[in-house]
Structures are given as structure tokens and as C-alpha cells.
Amino acid sequence: MQERYDQIREKSLEVTRENINYWLEYCFLSPRWWFILTLFILTWVVFIRLTRNETNKPKLLFLGLVWIIVAANLDGYGFDLGMWGYPGQLIPILPKAYLFDYALIPVTFMLLYRYFPKGKPFFYATLILSGGASFIGETVFEWLHIYKTYHWKMWWSFVIYFVLSYLIRGMVEYIFRKKDPNEG
């Protein structure tokens, strides 16, 4: 058993080395890499500027953290299962979409929650953001050779974004619900 595991681990290390070499040759300091880095930084700069005087910032940041955890894990599963890949990467280790998992997805959903916290506005904003991210965003990033689908349909992304938006919002609302001091 241990010997077989060591063989698998060695193959995994070889793939990691190949990925680092690919990244150094085709990604690092390329215009695509600078675009990814710039967009990553700009996303957070926009968030900071738009929420500078936000009184609800802990709630927003917690929502963003949950999105980061969920997005990074689902992204890792999809990548490992061969559903999609990232020909353009910010860093070569753990070839995931840091731009998406740690910037674009959490920040856009934090801003959605900030401006449309509940009711019909939340529903319509979630519908538009989920559709835009899935059908426009994924297409644009594929065209830019930053993202590539293999066994994935964009409408699955739409459903996942939409459902997760409600689940994560519900969890955050539950955790941050203020207890009524008159309750026993």
C-alpha cells in the first residue's frame, strides 16, 4: 500500500514540476499574467473603496471568506476531476484560479450583498450576476486563455452561483442574527 502511494505521489510531483515549467515559460511576466495580477489587485481596490465607510464590514468580509473557502474548494474539485483548467495562472503551485477564487467571485458577491441584501432586489441581482459570470465572464476568460473547460457546461456554473448565493447569504444571516435581548 505505502509503495503504491509513493508512486502516485511521485507522479503528482512530476506534474507539479511540469506545471511550474509551463508557468515559467508561458505565463510568468506575460501580458496575460500582468492582466491577471492587475485585475486581482483592482478587484480588491474597488471593494475597499466602495466599502470604506461600511458599518456592516465584518458581515461582508465573513461572507467573502465563506465564498473564498467554497469557491477554492469547488474549483479544486473541478480542476482535479478534469472539468476545467487554467492555461493562464497567477502562480504555478496548486493550479487554481486565484483571480476567481480569491478576488472576482468573493468581491462581486460581497458587493451584491451590500447593495442588494434581501428580497426581490437580491433575487434579480443574483440572477444577473450568476448569468453574467457564467455566460459572459467564463466565455471572456476562455477567449483570453485564462480558463478552459473540458467537461463542463456554463449553465452548471449559473445554477451553482445562484444556489450558493442564497445558501451562503442564509448562513451569514443566521450567524449574524442579533439575538433579541427580551428573549429568554
Side-chain angles (χ1 to χ4, degrees), residues 60-106:
L60 283 178
L61 291 173
F62 182 73
L63 181 106
L65 177 62
V66 173
W67 267 107
I68 287 170
I69 292 167
V70 170
N73 279 289
L74 289 178
D75 186 32
Y77 298 147
F79 181 87
D80 287 346
L81 293 173
M83 304 275 197
W84 54 74
Y86 301 103
Q89 303 171 26
L90 188 58
I91 61 173
I93 307 297
L94 299 171
K96 293 190 223 170
Y98 289 91
L99 171 62
F100 306 117
D101 300 342
Y102 298 98
L104 290 177
I105 292 171

Side-chain angles (χ1 to χ4, degrees), residues 111-181:
L111 292 175
L112 179 143
Y113 183 74
R114 178 183 188 259
Y115 291 106
F116 309 100
K118 56 187 167 185
K120 283 185 182 178
F122 181 81
F123 173 81
Y124 291 122
T126 300
L127 198 64
I128 291 166
L129 177 57
S130 298
S134 303
F135 302 114
I136 297 169
E138 288 184 18
T139 302
V140 168
F141 284 108
E142 269 202 88
W143 180 74
L144 293 170
H145 303 289
I146 292 171
Y147 169 71
K148 181 167 176 49
T149 58
Y150 296 100
H151 305 288
W152 190 252
K153 304 289 182 217
M154 291 177 199
W155 66 270
W156 293 343
S157 297
F158 171 79
V159 171
I160 289 170
Y161 286 137
F162 190 83
V163 170
L164 282 177
S165 183
Y166 272 90
L167 290 174
I168 292 172
R169 178 186 161 271
M171 183 185 78
V172 169
E173 287 294 322
Y174 178 78
I175 290 171
F176 278 83
R177 184 176 18 198
K178 292 192 172 116
K179 186 173 172 133
D180 185 353

